[in-house]
Amino acid sequence: MAVEVKIPTILRTYTDGAKSVPGDGANLSALLDDLESRHTGLKSRLITDDGSLHRFVNIYVNDEDVRFTGSLDTALSDGDSVTILPAVAGGAA
Amino acid sequence: MLTLTTATYDAIVAHARRDHPDEACGVVAGPEGSDRPVRVIEMLNAARSPTFYEFDSADLLQLYKEMAANDEEPVVIYHSHTATEAYPSRTDISLASEPNAHYVLVSTREQDSVEFRSYRILDGVVTEEPVQVVAALD
């Protein structure tokens, strides 16, 4: 499934500065592997060592936060738009 | 250095006061690459906490889509500390993810005075910078 992936500023070091890159995969997990094959290091910024989505990274498929649609198992269709955004968070704690 | 208008400064402080004792958070957007913070966007603190803030994930996507459509970026990302000084905490540093943004911290711990400070946070390194408040941006 050919999709477009929007890359946030902080991760554009992995995409030669590109704001969006093409990708391919039947689901989000496969897409991230596909991206990793051309943008080495990107995946480890999104996925923790135990293989789950990082708590402070948001990934959306067509405006839906994947946390509500099956996380890394979220299915993709041709033409889907995938957006990666780091959480904006912090605080005194 | 962060240069912002009195109106922007006042809007950030007012938001921080209003949400006290919870942390307030928001963005001042400006044209991409301009370093001009012109549009204050108050965000809801989805954590509704006196010690933590987080933009709601749906609001976050909406904000970034809106900024992309306007060729804007987050020039300032602000939040308040309500019982401690206006200095980035370990959490603030580890979660900072906008390399081009000025991170503004406002402390509302004192009722009659406010601490308003600005930082760059890059790869875990915090650099404080002067804040210049002007009547109007050039």
Side-chain angles (χ1 to χ4, degrees):
Chain A
M1 306 299 163
V3 300
E4 184 204 27
V5 185
K6 293 195 176 111
I7 306 291
T9 308
I10 197 167
L11 298 180
R12 288 178 197 158
T13 49
Y14 299 100
T15 60
D16 292 323
K19 290 183 175 183
S20 74
V21 295
D24 202 357
N27 61 25
L28 184 57
S29 186
L31 171 66
L32 295 184
D33 286 336
D34 174 61
L35 291 175
E36 179 70 15
S37 69
R38 290 182 305 283
H39 310 289
T40 309
L42 181 62
K43 189 179 167 186
S44 68
R45 299 292 299 270
L46 310 175
I47 304 295
T48 61
D49 290 343
D50 68 9
S52 56
L53 184 59
H54 196 289
R55 156 78 176 87
F56 290 107
V57 172
N58 297 323
I59 301 181
Y60 308 85
V61 175
N62 301 331
D63 296 359
E64 285 286 335
D65 186 332
V66 299
R67 280 197 185 80
F68 306 114
T69 58
S71 196
L72 295 172
D73 296 329
T74 301
L76 298 173
S77 305
D78 271 329
D80 277 351
S81 171
V82 176
T83 303
I84 301 170
L85 282 178
V88 179
Chain B
M1 176 161 68
L2 169 63
T3 303
L4 75 178
T5 64
T6 310
T8 299
Y9 178 98
D10 289 348
I12 292 171
V13 171
H15 182 200
R17 287 274 181 229
R18 195 181 336 122
D19 283 11
H20 185 93
D22 285 347
E23 293 195 3
C25 54
V27 159
V28 190
E32 220 174 304
S34 71
D35 203 32
R36 291 161 58 89
V38 294
R39 190 164 73 91
V40 178
I41 307 153
E42 293 187 3
M43 301 297 290
L44 285 177
N45 177 1
R48 287 189 178 78
S49 158
T51 56
F52 193 72
Y53 81 94
E54 181 170 13
F55 292 7
D56 171 77
S57 99
D59 292 351
L60 178 74
L61 179 65
Q62 213 43 55
L63 170 70
Y64 273 77
K65 284 172 74 169
E66 198 180 284
M67 288 193 297
N70 294 338
D71 293 318
E72 291 174 321
E73 65 182 350
V75 180
V76 168
I77 296 173
Y78 70 86
H79 76 282
S80 60
H81 284 176
T82 58
T84 55
E85 73 170 321
Y87 191 85
S89 67
R90 202 166 297 178
T91 316
D92 292 332
I93 297 164
S94 72
L95 295 180
S97 51
E98 279 294 351
N100 300 328
H102 302 267
Y103 281 87
V104 163
L105 276 101
V106 175
S107 175
T108 54
R109 63 180 166 176
E110 304 288 348
Q111 264 186 354
D112 43 10
S113 67
V114 72
E115 231 186 305
F116 189 110
R117 296 164 70 179
S118 181
Y119 308 87
R120 296 287 189 170
I121 308 178
L122 269 184
D123 298 326
V125 178
V126 176
T127 310
E128 183 159 14
E129 59 183 0
V131 176
Q132 184 184 38
V133 182
V134 296
L137 295 175
D138 291 337

